[in-house]
Amino acid sequence: AIIHTSFDDFIFGVSSSSHQIEGAWNVDGKSENVWDHFTHNFPEKITDGSNGDIACDSYHKYKKDVALLKKLGVNFYRFSLSWSRILPTGFSNKINQAGIDYYNNLINELLANGIQPVVTIYHWDHPLKLQALGGMTNPLFADWFEDYSRVVFENFGDRVKFWLTINEPRLICVFGYSTGVIAPGIQSGGIGEYLCSYNAIKAHARSYHLYDKQFRQKQKGRIGLPIDCQWNEPETNSTEDINTAERALQFQCGFYGQPIFSKKGDYPQVVKDLIANRSKIEGFFRTRLPLFTPEEVNYIKGTSDFIALNHYTTFYVAEDKTIQKSTEMPSSTIDSRIKDWQDNNWIGEFSVFKTVPWGFRKILKWLKDNYGDLDIYVTENGFPNIVEEMHDKKKIDYMISYLSNLLDAIYEDGVKVKGYGFWSLLDSFEWMSGYTMGFGLHRVDFNDPKRTRIPRESAKVYADIIKNRKLTPVE
Ligand code: FCB
């Protein structure tokens, strides 16, 4: 039942990312990024064999997008910058003016319509030229990311006041560098994953310090890290299950959360211990997790002005000694069992997900308990229906029940949640699922050359919530 209904001191928005919507993959000086390369060369890795060549064509239709945002009445729009559109070589030696112009136009159009730009600097689509040098596993990745950050602060920071550095580093490190199911498709197990994590955390911290020291005083914005945290619920209240669930949380959220958001800093001890242990069992002479020096721990600690949370689902977790633990995730979701207590038709690659609204409240509380009183912005939350569906009731139910739990977290648990960005404005190129997922408040027909955007029922419901700043149950 919905108890609390009012949103005060709160901003609403929607989220997207460059590669998923822009298209124009080889237009106006943009270079090839890892996703262009991955989809062009390994179409079999994408459910429908598709790619982001045209996507929603937001590169040409950004004014249409802003008009939809205006209609929704959102306070902010979260989008990301395409690194290869801005720096085609990957490095600061060549700035592509057409790329800068595109984002200037988008930002100005948003501001002219009273919508605050929330900008993700990097959402998984780095230039292929950087990948030739190892991408996120190159020890100089942090230098490259700092230089790229400088270019974007210099060009857009007069108008952008809300920055997000690297979208969901855990996901890109696991799926991009360990299992290789998404671009850049590197299959190097924990070695690649942990090297990527280590570099991502350092890169984030460098971008933060650069902003803090050289730009903040003049530009007066905020900057933080968006992490993906699902809730992990112990299957029983046995000590083993409770410990396993906590371990899973530490591997998923703590891996990035503790070094950056907490007062303690550094990786969680359990993460360090388990990776060291498993590395030994597997015959490595040293742990696969590159460790931070005490100086680095201090440099990294506190480098986020807020917590940005991407949250979708909850897993039930049980200690399960029968399952062979893999090298990639020594102790987290590998040994979890997902309990099928409610089938609400999450589809395709997402069918392991469930709609569990109370898990949202619990993860918000967990973040507060672990990292103190930082403001929390939910930068992603959403549900994919079948693309043809226009009366997307399941998405609406999802949104309302999750928002209701968000309010409970605020009013009952005292969590400082300050904003919510729904994923997503449009149906878009959903990475390995291609165009098979209806995450959008608007449907886009990808067979239609005009890429017409058609509002779903959920667009209307969300617009009402934003307008009334109130949650009203729908029939
Ligand atoms: C998140 C990604 C986003 C989108 C949603 C469904 O993990 O950040 O790009 O794919 O999932």
Side-chain angles (χ1 to χ4, degrees), residues 20 123-124 167-168 171 310 312 350 380 423 430-431 439:
Q20 295 179 272
H123 197 124
W124 305 355
N167 180 67
E168 300 184 357
L171 234 97
N310 294 354
Y312 289 88
F350 288 89
E380 282 182 34
W423 185 275
E430 185 44 52
W431 311 118
F439 271 105

Side-chain angles (χ1 to χ4, degrees), residues 1-2 30 69 77 106 130 154 172 206 257 268 282 295 306 317 326 350 357 365 378 394 401 410 413 428:
I2 293 179
K30 176 183 163 297
L69 292 161
Y77 179 45
L106 172 58
L130 297 186
E154 272 170 1
I172 170 81
R206 291 275 292 277
E282 288 178 13
E295 293 72 34
F306 49 81
V317 181
S326 92
F350 288 89
K365 170 92 170 15
V378 177
K394 291 196 186 93
S401 57
I410 296 176
D413 306 331
S428 62

